[in-house]
Amino acid sequence: MAIKNAFYAQSGGVTAVINASACGVIETARKHPDKIGKVFAGRNGILGALKEELIDTSLESDDAIHELIHTPGGAFGSCRYKLKNISENRREYERLIEVFRAHDIGYFFYNGGGDSQDTAYKVSQLADKMGYPITCIGVPKTVDNDLPFTDCCPGFGSVAKYIATSTLEASLDIKSMCETSTKVFILEVMGRHAGWIAAAGGLAGQREGEPPHIILFPEIPFDREAFLARVDHCVKEYGYCVIVASEGAQYEDGRFLADAGAKDAFGHTQLGGVAPALANMVKQALGHKYHWAVADYLQRSARHIASGTDVEQAYAVGKAAVEMAVSGKQAVMPTIVREQGGPYRWKIGEAPLSEVANQEKKMPIHYITDDGFGITQDCREYLSPLIAGESFPPFDNGLPRVAKLKNQLVDKKLKTDFEI
């Protein structure tokens, strides 16, 4: 087989460890010079392919690439852009072929969540539907932990560790001041349809009465009266109440508590504001003094407190993606397979992109307590290994050191630009 170049791109919301996957892809590709030439990274994800904005990673030193392991964000830029079906927008696929052919690209690695795996699957069909052979492998990533077929998703373990830690630390603050000050604290976390991140907050409390006292999951319909009764009970019983609320908390009819009235680029309802909405309920119904916080981007960019397990797994799926590609596999995604829980052992598996695309893995009901406000022991045993281990970045002058790449674009070979 002739040597072909590779195209790697990052997609969707970034994580504390997506660059570790990039490192795994690039370092492993460099070990296969007999099959892979250069690795081009898309500037801002798949848009880099459509716009012919390709970053030449061969210009980066081995040391610079290795520093991606401890660098958060998306080193090459990411995007929220979903390819339509070939029948709906043939123009996009023809453009991809033009760019891939012009730069002799025979491998495609797409690092993202469910919508991104859908894009990866569509690109894998180029050979059959449009006559351009390309080896396409998905690289899993999502803080939401909602990809099917994989025990966990790279990116989730570090968010879970951050949320569990933040819940623990903030709870001590509230507890120390509740006698004369704040009685209710609400932490809003990510999670549109799946409550995995909110569940991680539950790791902060080990015994009865320890915070968080309430967790709100998208999987459990929100009951205003039951919620307020629980808040009132906790304040009376413990002196304070700590709540971890998923942004996707919703009423029984499917309405989000925090529907912002807009859609994102993938067509999903734009969310934000469940914490102040809950705080207003508490204030109006119970009159308690409150504070709330939104973890927002902080939770997915907190590389300084990343999970050691998560960093290791993120690198491993990037490495495995390249190994699968050079071994001749096509249209698959590396997965994490849990071999046993205690002591925790895992290995790399694989799943077909055709089955991964556009699927969503929600919290199993047996992971949520009967009252709908907490996590069970089964959930605790699932989550605990994923936040285990520390992988601190190096520090310079008190701040984390991050990779500084050249990110130099290759010269364009096509005469026409592409309008998105």
Side-chain angles (χ1 to χ4, degrees):
M1 179 179 175
I3 297 173
K4 292 286 186 178
N5 295 323
F7 177 79
Y8 165 81
Q10 300 173 322
S11 177
V14 294
T15 80
V17 299
I18 188 173
N19 288 333
S21 293
C23 181
V25 167
I26 296 169
E27 287 190 340
T28 308
R30 289 182 176 187
K31 294 177 181 177
H32 293 276
D34 57 324
K35 294 187 177 180
I36 300 178
K38 292 184 176 183
V39 176
F40 298 126
R43 183 181 183 185
N44 300 323
I46 193 69
L47 297 182
L50 293 171
K51 294 182 176 183
E52 198 187 0
E53 295 179 346
L54 309 179
I55 295 166
D56 188 353
T57 69
S58 71
L59 301 178
E60 310 291 349
S61 68
D62 289 346
D63 287 345
I65 292 299
H66 195 68
E67 286 205 318
L68 289 173
I69 285 181
H70 55 75
T71 301
F76 308 108
S78 185
C79 70
R80 295 191 185 277
Y81 188 85
K82 188 174 181 179
L83 293 179
K84 295 182 174 64
N85 291 321
I86 293 176
S87 59
E88 294 179 71
N89 198 339
R90 190 178 181 89
R91 167 177 162 267
E92 287 184 331
Y93 294 88
E94 289 174 344
R95 175 63 174 187
L96 288 177
I97 291 175
E98 278 188 318
V99 174
F100 290 165
R101 181 174 284 124
H103 295 274
D104 199 24
I105 292 170
Y107 300 94
F108 179 88
F109 302 103
Y110 208 32
N111 200 173
D115 289 313
S116 306
Q117 302 310 320
D118 175 72
T119 294
Y121 177 59
K122 287 170 179 171
V123 172
S124 75
Q125 297 176 299
L126 288 178
D128 291 338
K129 296 193 175 183
M130 302 190 72
Y132 185 84
I134 185 162
T135 299
C136 186
I137 309 291
V139 184
K141 170 247 48 163
T142 174
V143 297
D144 292 323
N145 199 40
D146 59 358
L147 281 174
F149 304 108
T150 183
D151 178 70
C152 60
C153 302
F156 169 69
S158 294
V159 167
K161 190 179 186 81
Y162 177 86
I163 293 302
T165 302
S166 297
T167 301
L168 173 62
E169 293 176 338
S171 295
L172 294 173
D173 185 304
I174 303 303
K175 183 179 181 181
S176 67
M177 295 292 293
C178 66
E179 181 66 23
T180 58
S181 186
T182 302
K183 303 286 188 186
V184 177
F185 175 70
I186 304 164
L187 177 62
E188 177 181 327
V189 304
M190 289 178 172
R192 179 181 306 277
H193 296 125
W196 295 105
I197 298 176
L203 294 175
Q206 302 294 323
R207 294 183 292 274
E208 176 67 28
E210 291 184 341
H213 305 104
I214 298 173
I215 304 174
L216 298 181
F217 306 94
E219 291 87 351
I220 302 297
F222 179 73
D223 182 326
R224 183 178 184 276
E225 297 311 313
F227 166 73
L228 290 171
R230 175 69 176 161
V231 172
D232 193 42
H233 167 78
C234 291
V235 171
K236 289 175 179 175
E237 183 75 15
Y238 312 119
Y240 68 112
C241 181
V242 172
I243 302 158
V244 178
S246 170
E247 65 180 353
Q250 55 191 281
Y251 294 101
E252 193 161 9
D253 63 5
R255 288 180 299 119
F256 290 107
L257 271 70
D259 188 339
K263 302 287 185 181
D264 68 13
F266 285 144
H268 303 312
T269 299
Q270 192 75 43
L271 300 180
V274 70
L278 292 169
N280 285 333
M281 285 184 201
V282 169
K283 182 66 175 176
Q284 291 171 7
L286 304 174
H288 296 312
K289 183 176 181 179
Y290 63 80
H291 270 272
W292 54 265
V294 182
D296 202 52
Y297 284 9
L298 299 178
Q299 65 200 299
R300 73 185 199 195
S301 61
R303 180 58 185 82
H304 66 284
I305 195 171
S307 152
T309 298
D310 195 28
V311 174
E312 184 180 353
Q313 291 178 341
Y315 185 92
V317 295
K319 177 175 181 284
V322 175
E323 291 172 342
M324 289 176 179
V326 298
S327 70
K329 293 185 177 180
Q330 166 70 315
V332 297
M333 180 190 80
T335 62
I336 306 298
V337 178
R338 185 178 299 224
E339 294 188 291
Q340 67 178 44
Y344 178 58
R345 286 215 317 256
W346 60 275
K347 66 179 181 179
I348 294 291
E350 65 180 71
L353 286 177
S354 59
E355 296 183 29
V356 174
N358 294 314
Q359 299 299 312
E360 206 166 37
K361 179 179 71 177
K362 295 190 177 183
M363 288 263 296
I365 196 65
H366 69 276
Y367 278 11
I368 302 173
T369 53
D370 290 342
D371 64 7
F373 290 139
I375 61 171
T376 63
Q377 184 60 28
D378 283 349
C379 184
R380 192 175 297 277
E381 290 174 2
Y382 167 78
L383 291 171
S384 293
L386 305 184
I387 70 168
E390 284 64 57
S391 180
F392 299 118
F395 282 75
D396 291 329
N397 298 318
L399 290 174
R401 186 193 312 157
V402 297
K404 292 181 171 57
L405 304 182
K406 301 182 182 74
N407 279 356
Q408 184 171 322
L409 298 177
V410 302
D411 292 335
K412 292 188 176 184
K413 297 186 178 182
L414 302 177
K415 296 179 180 179
T416 57
D417 292 329
F418 187 82
E419 294 296 325
I420 302 299

Short mmCIF file of all heavy atoms in Angstrom, two decimals, residues 111-169:
data_model
loop_
_atom_site.label_atom_id
_atom_site.label_comp_id
_atom_site.label_asym_id
_atom_site.label_seq_id
_atom_site.Cartn_x
_atom_site.Cartn_y
_atom_site.Cartn_z
N ASN A 111 -12.06 13.23 16.06
CA ASN A 111 -12.04 13.16 17.52
C ASN A 111 -13.23 13.92 18.09
O ASN A 111 -13.20 15.15 18.16
CB ASN A 111 -10.72 13.76 18.00
CG ASN A 111 -10.31 13.36 19.40
OD1 ASN A 111 -9.21 13.68 19.83
ND2 ASN A 111 -11.16 12.66 20.14
N GLY A 112 -14.28 13.19 18.49
CA GLY A 112 -15.46 13.89 18.98
C GLY A 112 -16.49 12.96 19.58
O GLY A 112 -16.24 11.78 19.82
N GLY A 113 -17.69 13.51 19.81
CA GLY A 113 -18.79 12.78 20.43
C GLY A 113 -19.72 12.16 19.41
O GLY A 113 -19.33 11.84 18.29
N GLY A 114 -20.99 12.01 19.79
CA GLY A 114 -21.95 11.29 18.95
C GLY A 114 -22.16 11.91 17.59
O GLY A 114 -22.16 11.22 16.56
N ASP A 115 -22.36 13.23 17.54
CA ASP A 115 -22.54 13.90 16.25
C ASP A 115 -21.28 13.80 15.40
O ASP A 115 -21.35 13.67 14.17
CB ASP A 115 -22.91 15.37 16.46
CG ASP A 115 -24.32 15.54 17.01
OD1 ASP A 115 -25.25 14.91 16.48
OD2 ASP A 115 -24.49 16.29 17.99
N SER A 116 -20.14 13.84 16.04
CA SER A 116 -18.87 13.75 15.32
C SER A 116 -18.65 12.35 14.76
O SER A 116 -18.12 12.18 13.66
CB SER A 116 -17.71 14.12 16.26
OG SER A 116 -17.94 15.38 16.84
N GLN A 117 -19.06 11.33 15.52
CA GLN A 117 -18.94 9.97 15.01
C GLN A 117 -19.87 9.76 13.82
O GLN A 117 -19.57 8.97 12.91
CB GLN A 117 -19.23 8.95 16.12
CG GLN A 117 -18.32 9.07 17.34
CD GLN A 117 -16.84 9.12 17.00
OE1 GLN A 117 -16.36 8.41 16.13
NE2 GLN A 117 -16.11 9.99 17.70
N ASP A 118 -20.98 10.47 13.80
CA ASP A 118 -21.86 10.45 12.64
C ASP A 118 -21.14 11.02 11.42
O ASP A 118 -21.20 10.47 10.31
CB ASP A 118 -23.13 11.25 12.93
CG ASP A 118 -24.04 11.38 11.72
OD1 ASP A 118 -24.67 10.38 11.34
OD2 ASP A 118 -24.11 12.48 11.15
N THR A 119 -20.44 12.14 11.62
CA THR A 119 -19.67 12.73 10.52
C THR A 119 -18.59 11.76 10.06
O THR A 119 -18.38 11.58 8.85
CB THR A 119 -19.03 14.06 10.98
OG1 THR A 119 -20.06 15.01 11.24
CG2 THR A 119 -18.09 14.61 9.92
N ALA A 120 -17.90 11.15 11.00
CA ALA A 120 -16.85 10.19 10.66
C ALA A 120 -17.42 9.04 9.83
O ALA A 120 -16.80 8.58 8.86
CB ALA A 120 -16.17 9.66 11.92
N TYR A 121 -18.59 8.57 10.22
CA TYR A 121 -19.21 7.47 9.48
C TYR A 121 -19.56 7.90 8.05
O TYR A 121 -19.34 7.15 7.09
CB TYR A 121 -20.47 6.99 10.21
CG TYR A 121 -21.22 5.91 9.47
CD1 TYR A 121 -20.60 4.69 9.15
CD2 TYR A 121 -22.54 6.10 9.06
CE1 TYR A 121 -21.28 3.71 8.47
CE2 TYR A 121 -23.23 5.11 8.38
CZ TYR A 121 -22.59 3.92 8.08
OH TYR A 121 -23.26 2.94 7.39
N LYS A 122 -20.10 9.10 7.92
CA LYS A 122 -20.45 9.59 6.58
C LYS A 122 -19.22 9.72 5.69
O LYS A 122 -19.26 9.40 4.51
CB LYS A 122 -21.17 10.94 6.71
CG LYS A 122 -22.59 10.81 7.24
CD LYS A 122 -23.19 12.17 7.58
CE LYS A 122 -24.61 12.02 8.10
NZ LYS A 122 -25.16 13.28 8.65
N VAL A 123 -18.12 10.19 6.27
CA VAL A 123 -16.89 10.31 5.49
C VAL A 123 -16.38 8.93 5.08
O VAL A 123 -15.84 8.74 3.98
CB VAL A 123 -15.81 11.07 6.29
CG1 VAL A 123 -14.46 11.04 5.57
CG2 VAL A 123 -16.24 12.53 6.50
N SER A 124 -16.59 7.93 5.94
CA SER A 124 -16.13 6.58 5.62
C SER A 124 -16.84 6.01 4.40
O SER A 124 -16.37 5.07 3.77
CB SER A 124 -16.33 5.65 6.82
OG SER A 124 -17.70 5.30 6.97
N GLN A 125 -17.98 6.59 4.06
CA GLN A 125 -18.76 6.09 2.92
C GLN A 125 -18.33 6.70 1.59
O GLN A 125 -18.90 6.37 0.55
CB GLN A 125 -20.25 6.38 3.16
CG GLN A 125 -20.82 5.67 4.39
CD GLN A 125 -22.27 6.05 4.64
OE1 GLN A 125 -22.57 7.22 4.87
NE2 GLN A 125 -23.15 5.08 4.59
N LEU A 126 -17.32 7.56 1.63
CA LEU A 126 -16.88 8.21 0.39
C LEU A 126 -16.45 7.20 -0.66
O LEU A 126 -16.68 7.38 -1.85
CB LEU A 126 -15.72 9.18 0.69
CG LEU A 126 -16.08 10.47 1.42
CD1 LEU A 126 -14.82 11.30 1.68
CD2 LEU A 126 -17.08 11.29 0.62
N ALA A 127 -15.79 6.13 -0.23
CA ALA A 127 -15.29 5.14 -1.19
C ALA A 127 -16.44 4.50 -1.96
O ALA A 127 -16.41 4.41 -3.20
CB ALA A 127 -14.47 4.08 -0.47
N ASP A 128 -17.46 4.06 -1.21
CA ASP A 128 -18.58 3.37 -1.85
C ASP A 128 -19.45 4.31 -2.68
O ASP A 128 -19.88 3.96 -3.78
CB ASP A 128 -19.45 2.68 -0.79
CG ASP A 128 -18.74 1.51 -0.13
OD1 ASP A 128 -17.79 0.98 -0.75
OD2 ASP A 128 -19.13 1.14 0.99
N LYS A 129 -19.71 5.49 -2.16
CA LYS A 129 -20.69 6.36 -2.79
C LYS A 129 -20.09 7.35 -3.79
O LYS A 129 -20.79 7.83 -4.68
CB LYS A 129 -21.48 7.12 -1.72
CG LYS A 129 -22.31 6.18 -0.84
CD LYS A 129 -23.33 6.92 -0.02
CE LYS A 129 -24.22 5.93 0.74
NZ LYS A 129 -25.28 6.60 1.52
N MET A 130 -18.79 7.65 -3.62
CA MET A 130 -18.21 8.67 -4.49
C MET A 130 -16.85 8.26 -5.06
O MET A 130 -16.16 9.07 -5.68
CB MET A 130 -18.10 10.00 -3.73
CG MET A 130 -19.44 10.49 -3.20
SD MET A 130 -19.43 12.17 -2.55
CE MET A 130 -19.29 13.11 -4.07
N GLY A 131 -16.46 7.02 -4.81
CA GLY A 131 -15.28 6.51 -5.48
C GLY A 131 -13.95 7.01 -4.96
O GLY A 131 -12.95 6.97 -5.69
N TYR A 132 -13.91 7.48 -3.72
CA TYR A 132 -12.63 7.92 -3.16
C TYR A 132 -12.32 7.08 -1.92
O TYR A 132 -12.98 7.24 -0.87
CB TYR A 132 -12.64 9.40 -2.78
CG TYR A 132 -11.28 9.87 -2.32
CD1 TYR A 132 -10.31 10.26 -3.24
CD2 TYR A 132 -10.95 9.90 -0.96
CE1 TYR A 132 -9.04 10.67 -2.83
CE2 TYR A 132 -9.69 10.31 -0.54
CZ TYR A 132 -8.75 10.69 -1.48
OH TYR A 132 -7.49 11.08 -1.06
N PRO A 133 -11.36 6.20 -1.99
CA PRO A 133 -11.04 5.34 -0.84
C PRO A 133 -10.35 6.12 0.28
O PRO A 133 -9.36 6.82 0.04
CB PRO A 133 -10.12 4.28 -1.43
CG PRO A 133 -9.48 4.96 -2.61
CD PRO A 133 -10.51 5.91 -3.15
N ILE A 134 -10.88 6.01 1.48
CA ILE A 134 -10.23 6.64 2.64
C ILE A 134 -10.51 5.79 3.87
O ILE A 134 -11.63 5.31 4.08
CB ILE A 134 -10.73 8.09 2.85
CG1 ILE A 134 -9.93 8.77 3.98
CG2 ILE A 134 -12.23 8.15 3.09
CD1 ILE A 134 -10.02 10.28 3.98
N THR A 135 -9.49 5.57 4.65
CA THR A 135 -9.63 4.83 5.90
C THR A 135 -10.08 5.80 6.99
O THR A 135 -9.40 6.79 7.25
CB THR A 135 -8.29 4.17 6.30
OG1 THR A 135 -7.91 3.25 5.28
CG2 THR A 135 -8.42 3.45 7.63
N CYS A 136 -11.22 5.51 7.60
CA CYS A 136 -11.82 6.46 8.53
C CYS A 136 -12.02 5.81 9.90
O CYS A 136 -12.68 4.78 10.01
CB CYS A 136 -13.15 6.93 7.97
SG CYS A 136 -13.90 8.24 8.94
N ILE A 137 -11.44 6.41 10.92
CA ILE A 137 -11.56 5.90 12.29
C ILE A 137 -12.04 7.04 13.20
O ILE A 137 -11.48 8.14 13.17
CB ILE A 137 -10.20 5.38 12.82
CG1 ILE A 137 -9.57 4.39 11.84
CG2 ILE A 137 -10.39 4.75 14.21
CD1 ILE A 137 -10.29 3.07 11.70
N GLY A 138 -13.05 6.77 14.00
CA GLY A 138 -13.50 7.76 14.98
C GLY A 138 -12.66 7.67 16.24
O GLY A 138 -12.19 6.59 16.61
N VAL A 139 -12.46 8.79 16.89
CA VAL A 139 -11.73 8.83 18.16
C VAL A 139 -12.70 9.40 19.21
O VAL A 139 -13.10 10.56 19.10
CB VAL A 139 -10.46 9.69 18.07
CG1 VAL A 139 -9.67 9.63 19.38
CG2 VAL A 139 -9.59 9.26 16.90
N PRO A 140 -13.10 8.60 20.20
CA PRO A 140 -14.16 9.05 21.12
C PRO A 140 -13.72 10.18 22.05
O PRO A 140 -12.59 10.20 22.52
CB PRO A 140 -14.48 7.79 21.92
CG PRO A 140 -13.21 6.99 21.89
CD PRO A 140 -12.61 7.26 20.54
N LYS A 141 -14.62 11.08 22.28
CA LYS A 141 -14.40 12.19 23.21
C LYS A 141 -15.74 12.82 23.55
O LYS A 141 -16.52 13.13 22.65
CB LYS A 141 -13.52 13.27 22.56
CG LYS A 141 -13.42 14.58 23.34
CD LYS A 141 -14.04 15.81 22.68
CE LYS A 141 -15.42 15.65 22.14
NZ LYS A 141 -16.13 16.93 21.87
N THR A 142 -16.06 12.93 24.81
CA THR A 142 -17.16 13.77 25.23
C THR A 142 -17.21 13.83 26.75
O THR A 142 -17.11 12.79 27.41
CB THR A 142 -18.53 13.31 24.70
OG1 THR A 142 -19.56 14.11 25.28
CG2 THR A 142 -18.80 11.85 25.00
N VAL A 143 -17.35 15.03 27.28
CA VAL A 143 -17.47 15.15 28.73
C VAL A 143 -18.78 14.57 29.23
O VAL A 143 -18.92 14.22 30.40
CB VAL A 143 -17.34 16.63 29.19
CG1 VAL A 143 -15.98 17.19 28.85
CG2 VAL A 143 -18.46 17.49 28.62
N ASP A 144 -19.76 14.45 28.34
CA ASP A 144 -21.09 14.00 28.74
C ASP A 144 -21.15 12.50 29.02
O ASP A 144 -22.14 12.02 29.57
CB ASP A 144 -22.12 14.34 27.66
CG ASP A 144 -22.35 15.83 27.53
OD1 ASP A 144 -22.35 16.51 28.57
OD2 ASP A 144 -22.52 16.32 26.40
N ASN A 145 -20.14 11.74 28.60
CA ASN A 145 -20.07 10.30 28.85
C ASN A 145 -21.26 9.55 28.25
O ASN A 145 -21.70 8.53 28.79
CB ASN A 145 -19.99 10.01 30.36
CG ASN A 145 -19.45 8.61 30.66
OD1 ASN A 145 -18.53 8.15 30.01
ND2 ASN A 145 -20.03 7.95 31.65
N ASP A 146 -21.78 10.04 27.14
CA ASP A 146 -23.02 9.47 26.61
C ASP A 146 -22.85 8.68 25.31
O ASP A 146 -23.84 8.37 24.64
CB ASP A 146 -24.07 10.56 26.42
CG ASP A 146 -23.62 11.67 25.47
OD1 ASP A 146 -22.48 11.62 24.98
OD2 ASP A 146 -24.43 12.60 25.23
N LEU A 147 -21.60 8.35 24.93
CA LEU A 147 -21.40 7.51 23.76
C LEU A 147 -21.70 6.05 24.12
O LEU A 147 -21.30 5.58 25.18
CB LEU A 147 -19.96 7.61 23.26
CG LEU A 147 -19.58 8.84 22.43
CD1 LEU A 147 -18.09 8.85 22.15
CD2 LEU A 147 -20.35 8.88 21.12
N PRO A 148 -22.38 5.33 23.24
CA PRO A 148 -22.66 3.92 23.51
C PRO A 148 -21.44 3.04 23.23
O PRO A 148 -20.46 3.49 22.63
CB PRO A 148 -23.78 3.59 22.51
CG PRO A 148 -23.50 4.50 21.36
CD PRO A 148 -22.95 5.77 21.96
N PHE A 149 -21.50 1.81 23.68
CA PHE A 149 -20.51 0.77 23.39
C PHE A 149 -19.17 0.95 24.10
O PHE A 149 -18.33 0.07 24.06
CB PHE A 149 -20.25 0.61 21.88
CG PHE A 149 -21.49 0.33 21.09
CD1 PHE A 149 -22.04 1.30 20.26
CD2 PHE A 149 -22.11 -0.89 21.18
CE1 PHE A 149 -23.19 1.05 19.55
CE2 PHE A 149 -23.28 -1.16 20.47
CZ PHE A 149 -23.81 -0.18 19.65
N THR A 150 -18.96 2.08 24.72
CA THR A 150 -17.72 2.29 25.47
C THR A 150 -18.06 2.45 26.94
O THR A 150 -19.06 3.12 27.28
CB THR A 150 -16.93 3.50 24.94
OG1 THR A 150 -15.69 3.62 25.66
CG2 THR A 150 -17.70 4.79 25.06
N ASP A 151 -17.29 1.83 27.83
CA ASP A 151 -17.57 1.89 29.25
C ASP A 151 -17.60 3.32 29.76
O ASP A 151 -18.41 3.69 30.60
CB ASP A 151 -16.53 1.08 30.03
CG ASP A 151 -16.75 1.15 31.53
OD1 ASP A 151 -17.74 0.55 31.99
OD2 ASP A 151 -15.96 1.80 32.23
N CYS A 152 -16.70 4.14 29.23
CA CYS A 152 -16.66 5.57 29.57
C CYS A 152 -16.08 6.31 28.38
O CYS A 152 -15.55 5.70 27.45
CB CYS A 152 -15.83 5.82 30.83
SG CYS A 152 -14.11 5.27 30.69
N CYS A 153 -16.19 7.62 28.41
CA CYS A 153 -15.71 8.44 27.30
C CYS A 153 -14.54 9.31 27.75
O CYS A 153 -14.66 10.01 28.77
CB CYS A 153 -16.81 9.36 26.79
SG CYS A 153 -18.29 8.48 26.24
N PRO A 154 -13.42 9.29 27.03
CA PRO A 154 -12.33 10.20 27.37
C PRO A 154 -12.83 11.64 27.45
O PRO A 154 -13.56 12.10 26.57
CB PRO A 154 -11.35 10.00 26.22
CG PRO A 154 -11.58 8.58 25.79
CD PRO A 154 -13.07 8.39 25.92
N GLY A 155 -12.44 12.32 28.51
CA GLY A 155 -12.93 13.66 28.78
C GLY A 155 -13.86 13.68 29.98
O GLY A 155 -13.90 14.67 30.72
N PHE A 156 -14.60 12.59 30.18
CA PHE A 156 -15.56 12.55 31.28
C PHE A 156 -14.87 12.42 32.64
O PHE A 156 -15.23 13.12 33.59
CB PHE A 156 -16.54 11.40 31.10
CG PHE A 156 -17.38 11.15 32.32
CD1 PHE A 156 -18.33 12.07 32.72
CD2 PHE A 156 -17.19 10.02 33.10
CE1 PHE A 156 -19.11 11.87 33.86
CE2 PHE A 156 -17.95 9.79 34.24
CZ PHE A 156 -18.91 10.72 34.63
N GLY A 157 -13.89 11.54 32.76
CA GLY A 157 -13.27 11.29 34.05
C GLY A 157 -12.70 12.54 34.69
O GLY A 157 -12.79 12.73 35.91
N SER A 158 -12.13 13.41 33.88
CA SER A 158 -11.54 14.65 34.41
C SER A 158 -12.62 15.64 34.84
O SER A 158 -12.48 16.33 35.86
CB SER A 158 -10.61 15.28 33.38
OG SER A 158 -9.50 14.44 33.14
N VAL A 159 -13.70 15.73 34.06
CA VAL A 159 -14.82 16.59 34.48
C VAL A 159 -15.43 16.05 35.77
O VAL A 159 -15.74 16.81 36.69
CB VAL A 159 -15.89 16.66 33.37
CG1 VAL A 159 -17.17 17.27 33.91
CG2 VAL A 159 -15.38 17.48 32.20
N ALA A 160 -15.58 14.73 35.84
CA ALA A 160 -16.15 14.11 37.04
C ALA A 160 -15.29 14.42 38.27
O ALA A 160 -15.81 14.72 39.35
CB ALA A 160 -16.27 12.60 36.84
N LYS A 161 -13.98 14.36 38.10
CA LYS A 161 -13.06 14.64 39.21
C LYS A 161 -13.18 16.11 39.64
O LYS A 161 -13.20 16.42 40.84
CB LYS A 161 -11.62 14.33 38.78
CG LYS A 161 -10.59 14.34 39.92
CD LYS A 161 -9.21 14.00 39.37
CE LYS A 161 -8.16 13.86 40.47
NZ LYS A 161 -8.22 12.53 41.10
N TYR A 162 -13.28 17.00 38.66
CA TYR A 162 -13.41 18.43 38.96
C TYR A 162 -14.72 18.72 39.70
O TYR A 162 -14.74 19.45 40.70
CB TYR A 162 -13.35 19.24 37.67
CG TYR A 162 -13.55 20.72 37.86
CD1 TYR A 162 -12.48 21.55 38.18
CD2 TYR A 162 -14.81 21.31 37.74
CE1 TYR A 162 -12.66 22.92 38.37
CE2 TYR A 162 -15.02 22.66 37.93
CZ TYR A 162 -13.93 23.46 38.25
OH TYR A 162 -14.12 24.81 38.44
N ILE A 163 -15.82 18.14 39.23
CA ILE A 163 -17.12 18.39 39.85
C ILE A 163 -17.19 17.79 41.25
O ILE A 163 -17.70 18.41 42.19
CB ILE A 163 -18.26 17.85 38.96
CG1 ILE A 163 -18.33 18.65 37.65
CG2 ILE A 163 -19.59 17.90 39.70
CD1 ILE A 163 -18.54 20.15 37.83
N ALA A 164 -16.69 16.57 41.42
CA ALA A 164 -16.68 15.96 42.75
C ALA A 164 -15.84 16.78 43.72
O ALA A 164 -16.24 17.02 44.87
CB ALA A 164 -16.15 14.52 42.66
N THR A 165 -14.68 17.23 43.25
CA THR A 165 -13.79 18.04 44.09
C THR A 165 -14.42 19.39 44.43
O THR A 165 -14.41 19.84 45.58
CB THR A 165 -12.44 18.25 43.39
OG1 THR A 165 -11.85 16.98 43.11
CG2 THR A 165 -11.49 19.07 44.24
N SER A 166 -14.99 20.04 43.42
CA SER A 166 -15.60 21.36 43.64
C SER A 166 -16.79 21.26 44.57
O SER A 166 -17.02 22.15 45.42
CB SER A 166 -16.04 21.96 42.29
OG SER A 166 -14.92 22.18 41.45
N THR A 167 -17.57 20.19 44.43
CA THR A 167 -18.72 19.99 45.32
C THR A 167 -18.26 19.82 46.76
O THR A 167 -18.81 20.42 47.70
CB THR A 167 -19.54 18.76 44.88
OG1 THR A 167 -19.99 18.95 43.53
CG2 THR A 167 -20.74 18.55 45.79
N LEU A 168 -17.22 19.01 46.95
CA LEU A 168 -16.68 18.79 48.29
C LEU A 168 -16.17 20.09 48.89
O LEU A 168 -16.50 20.45 50.04
CB LEU A 168 -15.54 17.77 48.21
CG LEU A 168 -14.73 17.53 49.48
CD1 LEU A 168 -15.63 16.99 50.59
CD2 LEU A 168 -13.57 16.59 49.22
N GLU A 169 -15.37 20.83 48.13
CA GLU A 169 -14.75 22.04 48.67
C GLU A 169 -15.77 23.14 48.94
O GLU A 169 -15.74 23.80 49.99
CB GLU A 169 -13.66 22.52 47.72
CG GLU A 169 -12.48 21.55 47.64
CD GLU A 169 -11.42 21.95 46.63
OE1 GLU A 169 -11.74 22.71 45.69
OE2 GLU A 169 -10.28 21.49 46.77
#
